[in-house]
Amino acid sequence: MMRGFREFKCDECGNTFTAMDIEWNATVLSMPQKCPKCGSMHTMPASLGSLLGKLNPERKLYQKIWEEMDR
C-alpha cells in the first residue's frame, strides 16, 4: 500500500531524496526505493536514527531486506 512520500537515505552514497513510501510485505517498514544518484536499492527512510549511520539499530532491519532483495 502506498502511504504517500517520505525522505529516504542511500546507504551506499549517502544521498537523501524524496520517494514514494510503500509498505514492505504488509509491515510498518518502508520498501527501499532506488537512489536517483547512484542507482542502489540499499536505501531506507531518513530519520534521526538513520543519521547515526552504521550505528543505527533500524539499519540492521534494512540490511536483512537488502539481502533478500539482492537474492
Side-chain angles (χ1 to χ4, degrees):
M1 174 170 71
M2 184 175 161
R3 300 180 286 212
F5 291 86
R6 82 184 298 175
E7 292 288 311
F8 283 82
K9 182 170 176 123
C10 179
D11 195 59
E12 299 294 322
C13 71
N15 183 37
T16 302
F17 60 96
T18 302
M20 290 188 297
D21 183 16
I22 301 169
E23 69 183 29
W24 172 258
N25 288 339
T27 67
V28 297
L29 298 174
S30 297
M31 181 174 149
Q33 299 296 313
K34 187 175 186 175
C35 176
K37 184 175 179 183
C38 72
S40 173
M41 288 296 288
H42 290 197
T43 62
M44 64 184 183
S47 64
L48 290 178
S50 67
L51 298 177
L52 296 173
K54 307 293 184 197
L55 301 175
N56 179 8
E58 192 177 77
R59 186 175 179 272
K60 289 185 182 197
L61 292 171
Y62 278 92
Q63 281 179 314
K64 290 178 183 177
I65 292 172
W66 300 332
E67 287 173 10
E68 186 177 320
M69 291 176 74
D70 288 345
R71 280 189 254 136

